[in-house]
Amino acid sequence: MTTGVWVLGDQLWTEQAALSSYFPEKKNTPVILIESLKYAQQRPYHRQKLVLIWSAMRHFAEELRQNNWSVTYEIANDFEAPLQAWVKKHKITELRVMNPNDRPFTQIVNNLKLNCQITLVANNHFLWSSSDFQKWAASQKSLIMENFYRSGRKRFQILMEGNQPVGGKWNFDKQNRQPPKGKLNTPEALWFEPDQTTLEVINTVNSLDFPSYGDAEPFRWAVTRSQALQALDFFLKHRLPMFGPYQDAMVTGEETMWHSMLSPYLNIGLLNPMEVIMAAQRAYHQNKLDLNSVEGFIRQVLGWREYLHGVYHYMEADYPESNWFNHTRSLPAFYWNAQKTDMNCLRQVLEQVQRTGYAHHIQRLMVLSNFALISGISPQAIEDWFHGAFIDAHDWVMQTNVIGMGQFADGGILASKPYVASANYINKMSDYCGKCVYQYQERTGEKACPFNLLYWNFLARHREQLKSQGRLNLMLHHLDRISIEEATKINQDAANWLNKIDAAT
C-alpha cells in the first residue's frame, strides 16, 4: 500500500491537510506538483500571475525536498498524463489531495481516470469550513457579512474583551474613508528581486505561444514562505499603523499606499489567515496602534475573505450565471489595453494592473467594477476579466467579489445595494479627475464625465428594480429632480457613448 500526495498550486503550505496527514516516513511518501500548460490557457492570465504560481510551486517543491519529502515536479500539457505515469512508477494505491478551493478544480480531480483510490482531504486553508459556514447561514435570515464577521470575532476571540469588542464597537469603517487631501507620506513598498528560479519562469512565461496579459517584468512579488513572512512583518511595522484612514484613497503614482499586499500569498498558502490575524492583533496590543487601522485590516481577512469563500461554496452551482440586471454588453477593449481609453481614472488603474497585476479594493470596486455595472457590461464578461487580470484572483475570490458584490448580479444575496457612483465619488477619493479630459462636474455635453452620464442613465434604466433596494431611494429621488429635458439629454449622451465603446470593442 503506497499513499501519494498531489499538491495543488494554491495549496503551498507544509501544514496543508493532505501533507499533514500521518505518514510514517516522508521520504517514502511520493509527492507531486504539476504545472499544466492547458490549465494556464483557460483565459488570458496576467503574466505575473503565472510567474507567481509557477515560481512559488517550484520553490515549494524544493522546500519539501529539503524537509525529506520525495518530490516529483512535472511540466506538462495537462494533469492526467503525468499523474498516471507517477502513480504507475511509484505503485500508488491511494492519492490524497486537499479539497480544492475552487469548484472547477474539484471537477477536474473527480474526473481523473487513475488506477488508484483518490481521497479528497478536508480543506484547512480557511478558518471556517464549508459545513461551519452552512451552519451559520442556516441560523440567519440573510447572509449579512457584518453578522458573519461578528460571529468570527466571537468564535476566535479576536479583538475581544470577554463577549464585547475591544473599543466598544465592532466596526470603525467610518474612520477609514478619508479623501487624499494634502501631502501623504506613504511608505515604500517591500519588493523582492527575482532569483534564478523566478528568472527561468519569467523566460518561460514570456515565450508562451498562447494569449496572456500584462507585463511579466519587473516581477517583484514574494515567491517563498520566508519572503511572504517578511512582507507580513514589513506591513505590520510600516503600513498597518496608518492603514485605516486612507484605505479607500486613490492617488496617481501610488500603486500600494498603506495596503498590505498580502492577498496573493494568503490565497496560495504561503501565509495562513490566522497567523496574519494574530500578528495584527499582537501589533495592536504591543505597539498601541490605532484600533480603526487594526480592526479595518482584520475585518478584511477574518470578515470579507472568509465570508466570500463561505458564500462561494454555499451558493448553487449556477450562481456564476447570475445576471439580475440582464446586462449583456461586451467588455470594452480598453480593459485589455489601457491606452484605448481617454478617461484618466480608468487609464491610471488599468495601466497599474497591466504593470503589476494589482489594484487595491476601491480601485477595483469603484472604478473598474462600477464602470462595468453602470455601462451594462455582462457580469460574466467582467468577472472573467478580473479573474485573468489580477495576481490574487481565483474562482472562489472573483465569483463572489465580482458577480455578487461588484455587479449586484445576484440581486442582493451578498451585497445590500449596488455599488454604483458618479464622478463625484471618484473626484472626492482620488486626484484622477483633475488631469482628465472630461469634467467631473458636468452631466451633459461633450466634456461631461462618462461616469455621470452612465450613472444617471443606469438609475433610469433600472428604476423599477432599484426601488426595491431601499438604500438607493435617496438617489432615485435626486433622479426625479432632474428636468425632463436634461434627463433626455443624459440618456442620449449615454447611448452615444456606449455606442462608441461598442464600436471599438
Side-chain angles (χ1 to χ4, degrees):
M1 300 287 289
T2 301
T3 298
V5 177
W6 179 19
V7 175
L8 307 184
D10 60 350
Q11 300 178 352
L12 308 179
W13 175 35
T14 56
E15 299 302 314
Q16 62 114 303
L19 280 175
S20 58
S21 302
Y22 173 72
F23 295 111
E25 290 187 63
K26 294 178 181 178
K27 65 181 180 180
N28 293 328
T29 303
V31 175
I32 189 169
L33 294 90
I34 305 169
E35 291 178 22
S36 168
L37 296 176
K38 184 178 180 181
Y39 191 75
Q41 296 177 55
Q42 292 182 108
R43 52 179 54 84
Y45 284 111
H46 200 294
R47 292 178 179 89
Q48 295 205 20
K49 169 71 174 290
L50 297 176
V51 174
L52 171 69
I53 299 297
W54 289 345
S55 180
M57 287 174 65
R58 295 182 190 189
H59 282 92
F60 187 67
E62 185 56 34
E63 180 183 346
L64 291 177
R65 292 187 186 103
Q66 294 298 318
N67 286 316
N68 296 319
W69 291 91
S70 174
V71 180
T72 299
Y73 197 97
E74 295 287 350
I75 301 173
N77 184 56
D78 59 18
F79 295 114
E80 187 154 343
L83 282 170
Q84 288 174 336
W86 175 73
V87 165
K88 182 178 180 180
K89 177 180 178 181
H90 293 277
K91 300 179 180 178
I92 291 170
T93 53
E94 180 193 14
L95 171 63
R96 293 188 188 180
V97 186
M98 186 167 84
N99 213 356
N101 296 326
D102 293 344
R103 279 175 162 173
F105 213 101
T106 302
Q107 293 177 352
I108 290 175
V109 175
N110 289 336
N111 291 335
L112 289 172
K113 301 294 189 294
L114 302 178
N115 190 28
C116 68
Q117 174 187 332
I118 300 176
T119 301
L120 287 173
V121 182
N123 190 306
N124 64 345
H125 197 167
F126 294 84
L127 304 179
W128 290 74
S129 69
S130 294
S131 60
D132 289 338
F133 186 88
Q134 288 172 1
K135 291 176 184 176
W136 172 84
S139 70
Q140 305 293 306
K141 292 183 178 179
S142 57
L143 303 180
I144 298 174
M145 198 290 289
E146 182 67 21
N147 293 343
F148 172 78
Y149 170 56
R150 294 181 186 188
S151 296
R153 290 271 294 273
K154 294 175 184 177
R155 177 183 179 186
F156 299 105
Q157 285 296 293
I158 303 299
L159 294 180
M160 297 293 293
E161 293 176 336
N163 292 323
Q164 297 301 314
V166 170
K169 292 169 58 178
W170 293 100
N171 189 316
F172 292 83
D173 202 33
K174 290 183 179 179
Q175 298 180 32
N176 293 343
R177 297 171 178 166
Q178 293 187 31
K181 303 301 181 184
K183 175 67 175 177
L184 298 180
N185 295 313
T186 57
E188 293 292 326
L190 177 64
W191 295 113
F192 301 89
E193 287 296 320
D195 63 6
Q196 186 58 40
T197 297
T198 301
L199 290 173
E200 291 172 0
V201 176
I202 290 172
N203 288 336
T204 297
V205 169
N206 280 331
S207 65
L208 294 174
D209 60 358
F210 52 80
S212 52
Y213 165 72
D215 304 326
E217 299 175 273
F219 182 88
R220 301 169 293 175
W221 297 93
V223 292
T224 66
R225 174 161 171 77
S226 174
Q227 290 178 336
L229 288 170
Q230 291 178 55
L232 171 60
D233 183 65
F234 182 87
F235 168 68
L236 297 173
K237 291 179 180 177
H238 303 288
R239 294 182 161 224
L240 182 58
M242 279 294 293
F243 168 77
Y246 299 104
Q247 64 174 281
D248 286 3
M250 300 174 283
V251 179
T252 302
E254 293 283 356
E255 293 179 340
T256 62
M257 302 288 284
W258 284 273
H259 292 277
S260 73
M261 315 293 289
L262 299 178
S263 57
Y265 315 136
L266 279 164
N267 291 352
I268 63 173
L270 297 183
L271 295 175
N272 70 77
M274 186 52 76
E275 74 178 333
V276 171
I277 292 165
M278 294 301 292
Q281 181 172 249
R282 283 195 302 272
Y284 166 70
H285 290 296
Q286 294 173 1
N287 302 326
K288 296 180 170 56
L289 302 183
D290 290 341
L291 183 55
N292 63 300
S293 287
V294 178
E295 185 277 320
F297 172 70
I298 286 178
R299 182 161 15 100
Q300 291 188 351
V301 183
L302 178 61
W304 275 110
R305 184 174 186 272
E306 294 290 325
Y307 174 74
L308 292 173
H309 179 259
V311 170
Y312 171 82
H313 286 285
Y314 182 75
M315 290 294 107
E316 297 295 332
D318 62 353
Y319 183 83
E321 304 308 314
S322 302
N323 194 349
W324 196 63
F325 291 115
N326 195 29
H327 284 168
T328 58
R329 178 163 277 106
S330 298
L331 189 73
F334 57 71
Y335 273 83
W336 295 111
N337 184 349
Q339 297 305 309
K340 292 187 177 182
T341 180
D342 55 2
M343 295 174 63
N344 190 48
C345 60
L346 283 169
R347 190 172 66 250
Q348 291 294 333
V349 178
L350 288 166
E351 284 180 348
Q352 179 180 318
V353 176
Q354 286 176 199
R355 288 193 306 271
T356 66
Y358 172 82
H360 72 66
H361 65 285
I362 293 299
Q363 292 173 314
R364 300 187 198 202
L365 180 64
M366 299 309 298
V367 178
L368 302 177
S369 189
N370 179 19
F371 183 85
L373 177 52
I374 61 179
S375 300
I377 292 168
S378 157
Q380 286 68 43
I382 188 64
E383 190 273 340
D384 194 55
W385 179 83
F386 265 85
H387 193 158
F390 283 98
I391 196 162
D392 55 3
H394 299 271
D395 199 58
W396 69 267
V397 178
M398 287 309 171
Q399 272 190 29
T400 42
N401 256 315
V402 180
I403 298 292
M405 186 178 183
Q407 298 301 294
F408 204 75
D410 62 9
I413 294 173
L414 190 148
S416 60
K417 67 170 184 177
Y419 282 88
V420 292
S422 66
N424 184 58
Y425 175 87
I426 296 173
N427 179 63
K428 176 185 176 183
M429 297 307 299
S430 79
D431 66 350
Y432 297 150
C433 298
K435 300 175 184 177
C436 189
V437 297
Y438 298 102
Q439 300 298 314
Y440 75 90
Q441 308 98 324
E442 301 297 327
R443 292 195 296 208
T444 60
E446 186 177 332
K447 292 299 181 180
C449 177
F451 267 100
N452 291 336
L453 305 174
L454 300 171
Y455 173 74
W456 293 107
N457 177 253
F458 169 84
L459 294 180
R461 292 197 321 270
H462 298 296
R463 169 189 289 276
E464 292 306 310
Q465 285 174 283
L466 295 173
K467 281 167 61 177
S468 65
Q469 307 297 318
R471 294 184 65 186
L472 284 182
N473 283 344
L474 178 61
M475 298 317 300
L476 293 176
H477 177 67
H478 289 326
L479 177 67
D480 291 337
R481 297 171 61 184
I482 298 175
S483 69
I484 294 176
E485 293 77 14
E486 185 181 10
T488 300
K489 178 62 172 164
I490 287 173
N491 292 332
Q492 288 175 344
D493 289 350
N496 292 337
W497 215 87
L498 290 172
N499 287 336
K500 183 173 69 172
I501 291 179
D502 291 343
T505 297

